[in-house]
Amino acid sequence: MWLYNAPPRQLLRERYGFAPDDAWLDHVRQSSVRFNSGGSGSFVSKDGLIVTNHHVGAGDLQKLSGEGRDYVMNGFHARTREEEKRCIDLELNVLTSMEDVTERVNAAIAPSMSAQDAFAARRAVMAQIEKVSLDATGLRSDIITLFGGGAYHLYRYKRYTDVRLVFAPEQQAAFFGGDPDNFEYPRYDLDICLFRAYENGAPAHITDWLKWSASGVSENELVFVSGHPGHTSRQLAMGELEYLRDEAFPFALAGLYRKEVALMAWSGRSDENARRARESLFGVQNGRKARGGMLAGLLEPALMASTREAENRLRDAISKSAELKDAAAAWDRIDAAQKIVAPDARASAMLEQARGFDSTLFHIARTLLRASEEQAKPSGDRLREYRDSNRESLELGLFSEEPIYDDFEIFKLEGSLTWLVEILGAENPVVKAVLVGLSPRERAAGLVAGTKLKDVGVRRSLYLKPVGSLAESLDPMLLLAQTIDPESRRLRKIGEAQDEVKRQAYAKIAEARFKLEGGRSYPDATFTLRLAFGAVRGYEEQGRPVPFQTQLRGLYARSESHQGKPPFDLPPRWVAAKEKLDLSTPLNFVSTADIIGGNSGSPVLNRAGEFVGIIFDGNIESCVLDFLYTDRKARAVSVNAQAIVEALRKVYDAGALADEIEGVQRR
Amino acid sequence: MWLYNAPPRQLLRERYGFAPDDAWLDHVRQSSVRFNSGGSGSFVSKDGLIVTNHHVGAGDLQKLSGEGRDYVMNGFHARTREEEKRCIDLELNVLTSMEDVTERVNAAIAPSMSAQDAFAARRAVMAQIEKVSLDATGLRSDIITLFGGGAYHLYRYKRYTDVRLVFAPEQQAAFFGGDPDNFEYPRYDLDICLFRAYENGAPAHITDWLKWSASGVSENELVFVSGHPGHTSRQLAMGELEYLRDEAFPFALAGLYRKEVALMAWSGRSDENARRARESLFGVQNGRKARGGMLAGLLEPALMASTREAENRLRDAISKSAELKDAAAAWDRIDAAQKIVAPDARASAMLEQARGFDSTLFHIARTLLRASEEQAKPSGDRLREYRDSNRESLELGLFSEEPIYDDFEIFKLEGSLTWLVEILGAENPVVKAVLVGLSPRERAAGLVAGTKLKDVGVRRSLYLKPVGSLAESLDPMLLLAQTIDPESRRLRKIGEAQDEVKRQAYAKIAEARFKLEGGRSYPDATFTLRLAFGAVRGYEEQGRPVPFQTQLRGLYARSESHQGKPPFDLPPRWVAAKEKLDLSTPLNFVSTADIIGGNSGSPVLNRAGEFVGIIFDGNIESCVLDFLYTDRKARAVSVNAQAIVEALRKVYDAGALADEIEGVQRR
């Protein structure tokens, strides 16, 4: 998960006798696309065609669907540019430059400052640097905190907000094998989705896009992955890892379990319910399996022991160096900060992270409320998501025409209000203020029935109005957001101050690590562009070899071995196309590339920088990559490039798209 | 939920102008059957034929199934007596007599005794009374604690342990609509299962069995329900109710959510996995929906307010009476006792209730270990389930030939060990001793691979052997049971002492209530025989009337409205039989009868004592009956007697069974 401005050239040369040059890196970086909804993708034609995963595009497919029109389940195919459907609130980012601003950020912090003042000063200077950059370049400008506070880089992005849906297969082709096969291998999935970036109402003219490989991958071949890993915890102090194991993961899983059960039950009641909940259910199941795998990793004593050993080695080295003595106390400071936030962590999850208010309408209400409140302050004093440089992205979401269903809103809100009561207690004053003497069921129904925020026009009319006039609207969802906001903000403030303490401590550790390890390292993932690499390679499971690649024939065989029953059923188009297909076409392959959630949709490239596949999953053993890289059994799972064009041409009658991807000149 | 020896004759006469006489009660009582696996049933022929629910018999169907033979899913039909299949470990009980032994039990307790001594003395006198009764009568003899300690009755039961499976429909007919329709109404389910009691290798000769009604039920008709409600909390102090709301139910639900998700995922992997997990999954989903409904009830402020008001009225009346002043402090004593047990409640659930050890093999190991330990003590000093009078029942379970699957055991054990770590913490000494430095996955696999207890012969050879020789067996599951036993027993002891404190306090409250209310009351449910009554009656939901009865045609209509997709698919036999059936046959009906879990399979009777239906569910509004009886929306759901014989004759070609049930003389 290397930074593009600090690529592991030496390591690659040592291990593979090859290292990408600057032109290679610049080209791949500018071909890489971040899906702000949480995923990765890449340009694959000069006309702005983008390939990502079906499960990355699923949120947009869901928003474009409606009763009787289920693009998630049934897929979509625009046969002409005119049929391409504009996504409702999708923002894509392409990283155009990176700049190290560590010194400028740290210069704003005096050693004598309290944690809270230091946090405020840091937030202010970051907002100011971003604003200056935005004004100067017109580009989205985000400062990224790396090494937990060891470095600050200013990333500038080209934004695309007119993004159109071009093609999606049926979910059953993209996610064949469903939850049972998710995070497993061998796999047989066509987890892809095509979008097109537009500018000024026409397809964007792209200068950097990836050439499609005609040759596929071979075992042990070096491959690269260019994408946006969301989050890793590899440099966490042991105390924080133990906290994840003992509290954070079990709590998160408890929330996912209850939501999965509720969504399954709700979906079971009707096809339309199932359609409305489809993407949420996938997300919850996927999250549950990933976190379950991570927790299982943390419960592997060998893993914890090796992590503890590494930490001890580092602490030992630090304690022996006079130059590094500043870092020696960092771990105690992290533990102390964690002890301060831990007692409020659940309350903070319920209120500030809004786990107790699982409702799109509530999120809209809170955004409106806080936008008004924060607008009155200088940009640098605001909650970070309300800073000037984030305004366009914030508005894109706030004014989204995403369909909102009353029954689904009530259902989700009742469940989450119930959880709120369970976690904070029925006698908690905030809970009492939230429920106003009603049961979660009645309260949820009343809130959804009473709010006007489903209407985007109403949202626009309230946006940035003085807080007093929001209250005058008497919109019950806005009033609810207002009710919990003082406590919610109080909890956030505690957390942010201690995060600053941790940031300073991790910065010390990172500095010491730089000095000891000579910079041969990369920061934890931050949902920003990184370059990973690895070898295409099978593995062993229970003594049996798992081959590196599957073929199209395996898809049919696996479906037959389950008598075609869900989730191993084949979409009708696939049944019909069997005879036409070259069944020896490679379908999915595994590699030792270092990936994590957020990498979904990342292009896999060969040395020539050609597109050979697309990341869509990791095996269950890969969940541990959150804490530790290992290539023993952990594998990234990709769709082969060849399977994509074979399916486009022969299953979906989408030859024009295959031509565009393969660079075949259109007639 | 009235006691058979204190029937509500006056109330019935006032409300319905009818009260059953002693002969009526004796006949119905002796026709009623308790399924010790957790349910109710009744005799419906002189040859020992018993009707219960499919979901009550499902455990036995599961145990009789095997790879490629799935009686739960596909049903079963013995066309001759010879084909009837003996259940593996099913025990049925028929209540033959009741005797009030309150004075004898209380005489053993001196007011000066500590809670712990009082508990031991009470346990000893109860075991002694039971043993004397067992020796004198040969009948299973259980002392039942009523009114939370206000009364003790000695119940004697005839036991049947040679019980044979006669008939079961497909689960999809019994549980049509699956989880989405469970606890809902209208319903369309044939949730029945037929067994036959045998004695000395031949069908039992039964003197009391229920006559089948030819006429069905009509709206507002008085009906009776004779069955074994498992547990209610209607006389709980408010403090205990709040504890249920704030801690016990959320914790139980968290366990059910995680288990449901895990079972769904495991079942998805193969048909055989699904078969092995079928009954567990049903039980977990059913429990989740029931407890979710109960928690929703506790979160209804109106319900809590009315309960609090009732308690305040009672406390007020007590405080005004010099005679009752003993009872005034009872609530504080209950709260104090609850405060003592609460901090250990989760640990006790994980260890003593073995939630952390979800494995049949673990239960066997613990039973073997404790049987040996307890055998060395006088019966009255033993843990209650090891008393002499329970020995036969205990052995029936311990030496059960129920199939045990290594992979399913490992799966369940891994999941529950993970939960154990989450709840008690990785650094807890008991947890560390349990895991011996391994991950839950590795430990579960090692335990299941290493134990020999799957072999019933091994169990027999170890049964009642000195504890030392159990340890010498080095069986890892036995050693595990031994590892946790000291802490587990310590937690149980704390709980039992405080239960005694509560028992004495509730006894005072019950006494006061008797005096104030003149005995027009019934105790909380205790999985013992009770008589309930109510009227056949529809209700209103969201302003629309819900009719009291459905018909067979509704089953087909509901399936069609869901395009026959699971869980609304019809078994092939039902599709084929449609033309033959009288589609106007009543299928399910609702009544205001007072039921709760454990009543499943209870016969529903008309004034003449005839079988008009069988309880199989309550609507979601009925879950609140755990805390409070209401007939506003809460309804018991039954299968109509007519649907049973119509289906037996025309869907299942089981005319002989229909004849036997209807009392038609065989040719």
Side-chain angles (χ1 to χ4, degrees), chain A residues 267-286:
Chain A
S267 297
R269 286 187 216 150
S270 75
D271 284 358
E272 177 59 14
N273 274 15
R275 188 192 68 71
R276 291 178 187 186
R278 202 176 304 288
E279 207 247 335
S280 303
L281 180 58
F282 170 81
V284 167
Q285 290 189 317
N286 196 53

Side-chain angles (χ1 to χ4, degrees), chain A residues 73 179-180 184 242 245-246 249-251 253-254 256-258 260-262 264-265 267-271 288-289 292-293 295-296 299-302 308 346 414 418 421-422 425-427 437-442 558 562-563 565-568 620-621, chain B residues 73 179-180 184 242 245-246 249-251 253-254 256-258 260-262 264-265 267-271 288-289 292-293 295-296 299-302 308 346 414 418 421-422 425-427 437-442 558 562-563 565-568 620-621:
Chain A
M73 186 167 83
D179 183 67
E184 305 285 339
E242 284 165 357
R245 178 193 65 189
D246 297 341
F249 277 110
F251 181 68
L253 276 164
L256 291 166
Y257 289 137
R258 60 181 299 136
E260 179 169 347
V261 166
M264 291 284 286
S267 297
R269 286 187 216 150
S270 75
D271 284 358
R288 176 260 303 163
K289 211 152 175 180
L295 180 59
L299 292 173
E300 293 279 353
R308 181 173 286 115
R346 290 184 174 210
E414 180 195 343
T418 301
V421 190
E422 290 178 25
E427 302 306 322
L438 299 172
S439 67
R441 188 174 299 169
E442 293 165 326
R558 184 151 175 81
H562 284 80
Q563 296 99 47
K565 279 191 283 191
F568 300 97
I620 198 74
E621 291 87 351
Chain B
M73 185 167 86
D179 182 67
E184 305 286 340
E242 285 166 355
R245 179 193 65 190
D246 297 340
F249 278 111
F251 181 68
L253 276 164
L256 290 166
Y257 290 137
R258 61 182 296 137
E260 180 170 347
V261 165
M264 292 284 285
S267 296
R269 287 187 216 148
S270 77
D271 285 358
R288 176 260 302 163
K289 211 154 176 180
L295 180 59
L299 292 174
E300 292 280 353
R308 180 174 286 115
R346 290 183 175 211
E414 181 194 342
T418 302
V421 190
E422 289 179 24
E427 302 305 322
L438 300 173
S439 68
R441 189 175 297 172
E442 293 165 325
R558 185 151 174 80
H562 284 80
Q563 297 101 46
K565 278 191 282 191
F568 300 99
I620 198 73
E621 291 88 351

